[in-house]
Amino acid sequence: MLTGMKILPRALLDELTAKAAASPRARAHHAIHATAADPVQRFIVVALRDSYFRPHRHATRAELAVVMRGQFDVVTFAPEGRVLERYAVGDGTASMAYETPEGTWHTLVPGAAGGAFLEVKQGPYDPATAAEFAAWAPAEGDASVGPFLLWLRGARPGDTPP
């Protein structure tokens, strides 16, 4: 009898790490949900050290992430880009997960070894409304991403983008 049970092997993290290493974005994901129309979106994401998550916010949805491997810093911002908070989550920290409230400007900064997390957020996925990217942060692929990511690594509450 088929139950529809989904078993996610630990080897999936290694497979995603290899895919991330071959990706220009230095990250890879595995969708657990069946389609973008599902009411709950669930992903496993692997990000290497140099993966850049452009600061963004989700106007109508919160997102939950449970770190499965490695460490990330979660950085929140005021609308103009001033750093509000910085939280270390994952291996070697006191925290294993975070939930970002709707409307909160935020980014993830992978630790030295990168990491993996399970992300859960409300669906269905609509690319037109899924995320609003910060105008004060460079777009992925822009020449200024490297210096901006370097700034993010050291940014503390009160700091403003260069």
Side-chain angles (χ1 to χ4, degrees):
M1 179 168 140
L2 296 176
T3 64
M5 179 72 67
K6 294 180 183 178
I7 303 297
L8 304 173
R10 290 190 182 276
L12 177 61
L13 297 180
D14 296 329
E15 292 168 20
L16 290 173
T17 299
K19 287 181 182 179
S23 166
R25 297 176 79 200
R27 71 176 176 260
H29 74 274
H30 172 82
I32 299 168
H33 55 279
T35 73
D38 283 8
V40 180
Q41 305 287 296
R42 302 166 319 278
F43 297 93
I44 295 185
V45 180
V46 168
L48 305 182
R49 174 181 168 73
D50 292 326
S51 185
Y52 172 60
F53 294 85
R54 185 177 182 187
H56 62 283
R57 67 180 174 180
H58 309 285
T60 61
R61 295 176 169 98
E63 70 182 359
L64 171 69
V66 179
V67 177
M68 303 169 67
R69 177 190 284 177
Q71 182 181 337
F72 294 87
D73 282 351
V74 183
V75 182
T76 63
F77 304 91
E80 77 284 355
R82 181 176 41 86
V83 174
L84 295 177
E85 301 161 308
R86 184 180 196 100
Y87 304 97
V89 183
D91 295 346
T93 77
S95 303
M96 64 176 183
Y98 67 90
E99 184 175 60
T100 306
E102 65 184 45
T104 301
W105 291 102
H106 66 284
T107 190
L108 285 178
V109 181
F117 58 93
L118 168 68
E119 181 178 311
V120 179
K121 56 188 163 190
Q122 180 182 354
Y125 174 72
D126 175 5
T129 62
E132 177 186 356
F133 292 102
W136 42 262
E140 283 190 43
D142 190 274
S144 61
V145 164
F148 188 80
L149 185 55
L150 184 62
W151 174 79
L152 276 175
R153 291 195 187 292
R156 298 291 174 245
D159 291 352
T160 56

